[in-house]
Amino acid sequence: MSQPDQSLAEGVCDVESGICALPGDSAPLPGASAGTPAPEVGLTRITYVTDPICSACWILEPAWRSLTERYRDLVDVHHVYGGLLRGWQGFHDAGNGIRRPEDVAHHWDKFAQLSGQPINSSVWWSDPIDSSYPPSIALAAVRRLAPAQEEAYLRRLREELFLDGRNIAAPELLEALVVELGLDVSSYRRLIENGEAESEFERDLVRTHELGARGFPTLILEGPDGRVVLHGWIQPDRLENTFLTVSGATRRPLISSIDDATERLGTGTSLEYAALTGHSVTEVEELLAQAGATSRPVGKGKAWSPKPRKTP
């Protein structure tokens, strides 16, 4: 893989702003998303500049999932992977006191405490991630192989990392998740081995520059009624109100039924279920337990898995 610009080599995450930022000067965001056609009539294009190990992106998940689950037929989502961590050699984030992988664990714990979105930071002690490039390349391969499954694959990577504390740069785990989604693992391997997935990821690195996105998450919403750029971790109401402004769509109700919510979300944190249903965390945990969902501790919070459906 050719070496991208050094300014894309390593990122820093700021607890105060809720942004995982790339070093270097910011370029102005262009008037339209670089390299993409205008959104289809009636749809709002959301370009999401992100990285699979971005903790700020993880704490955006309650807002993101609530929006995309309720308005899925009105949005056209495109992910761009910006390369948060090329590697640890020479890395030093003085502002956050991060020199080594272990330092990230304390940083993630602060993000969890600030947001209420639980994070399992154990990976930085037990099996540190050397680079976010391997999972980003795997995501590029899935995009080429089955575009409709890209977001599901990204979500599973995040669950494995932030809920289960697993190293998502491990090739065997990346392949296992491809199999789990029912994709052709032979085709996936071919895209990895022949360099097509790397080339796709390199185009994302370039596009991150073209978009002027200097931090993760960056959301560029382009709809019939306008264009807005959002940076960092934001609350569900702000994300939804911005979407409604640019899309001209009518506000839709929250998913108050816990059965409907579990069918839509599947595995999710208490905060994610609370954002989708409008219940408090305490209320939604009681409702999930009554519905037969199982929970497991993650940091100081919980992750839930719905009760398995009976098959005929």
Side-chain angles (χ1 to χ4, degrees):
M1 180 176 180
S2 60
Q3 291 298 317
D5 189 305
Q6 179 61 29
S7 65
L8 289 171
E10 56 216 17
V12 295
C13 294
D14 180 70
V15 174
E16 299 274 332
S17 66
I19 297 175
C20 290
L22 290 166
D25 295 331
S26 297
L29 285 157
S33 295
T36 59
E40 294 181 30
V41 175
L43 292 182
T44 294
R45 175 185 294 276
I46 304 180
T47 302
Y48 186 176
V49 188
T50 186
D51 186 277
I53 73 166
C54 168
S55 53
C57 300
W58 173 248
I59 66 176
L60 181 67
E61 284 288 273
W64 177 251
R65 299 188 84 190
S66 179
L67 179 79
T68 55
E69 287 299 329
R70 290 160 53 223
Y71 298 96
R72 184 162 294 278
D73 59 315
L74 299 181
V75 296
D76 181 21
V77 176
H78 294 262
H79 291 90
V80 178
Y81 306 107
L84 184 59
L85 178 68
R86 182 195 298 172
W88 284 99
Q89 185 174 1
F91 180 88
H92 181 207
D93 174 9
N96 290 298
I98 297 175
R99 283 181 174 273
R100 305 166 300 170
E102 308 92 90
D103 299 327
V104 181
H106 302 297
H107 193 60
W108 279 16
D109 292 341
K110 290 179 182 178
F111 261 78
Q113 182 178 8
L114 171 72
S115 66
Q117 174 78 331
I119 297 177
N120 181 343
S121 59
S122 64
V123 68
W124 299 110
W125 296 100
S126 62
D127 187 15
I129 298 169
D130 291 329
S131 171
S132 67
Y133 282 34
S136 298
I137 293 169
L139 281 157
V142 171
R143 178 193 297 163
R144 296 291 298 271
L145 183 62
Q149 294 293 328
E150 181 184 357
E151 189 167 354
Y153 189 69
L154 175 58
R155 173 64 191 189
R156 285 295 293 117
L157 287 174
R158 286 181 168 148
E159 289 174 357
E160 292 289 329
L161 175 59
F162 292 105
L163 297 181
D164 297 327
R166 301 186 68 186
N167 184 340
I168 60 170
E172 61 274 14
L173 176 57
L174 295 172
E175 280 200 7
L177 296 180
V178 168
V179 174
E180 179 186 298
L181 289 178
L183 304 181
D184 184 347
V185 72
S186 296
S187 297
Y188 166 82
R189 287 174 184 165
R190 185 166 58 252
L191 289 167
I192 296 294
E193 292 167 0
N194 68 14
E196 288 186 46
E198 287 190 17
S199 296
E200 180 81 9
F201 173 52
E202 286 179 330
R203 285 190 285 272
D204 275 19
L205 294 179
V206 171
R207 189 158 174 245
T208 299
H209 266 315
E210 293 175 343
L211 290 169
R214 304 307 310 164
F216 312 131
T218 292
L219 298 172
I220 305 170
L221 292 83
E222 300 169 276
D225 290 350
R227 179 179 186 275
V228 175
V229 180
L230 299 173
H231 302 284
W233 164 51
I234 56 179
Q235 294 290 348
D237 286 349
R238 184 184 174 198
L239 179 57
E240 182 178 9
N241 288 338
T242 302
F243 165 75
L244 294 175
T245 297
V246 302
S247 68
T250 300
R251 188 183 302 275
R252 293 179 175 177
L254 295 168
I255 310 301
S256 58
S257 163
I258 204 67
D259 288 336
D260 290 346
T262 55
E263 185 173 349
R264 287 172 180 258
L265 287 191
T267 297
T269 67
S270 299
L271 196 63
E272 290 170 352
Y273 272 103
L276 182 64
T277 63
H279 297 295
S280 70
V281 167
T282 300
E283 290 170 341
V284 86
E285 288 181 344
E286 292 176 355
L287 290 169
L288 285 164
Q290 291 170 10
T294 57
S295 68
R296 64 185 188 276
V298 178
K300 295 183 178 180
K302 293 180 181 178
W304 295 83
S305 297
K307 181 180 179 180
R309 293 179 176 274
K310 293 183 179 179
T311 56

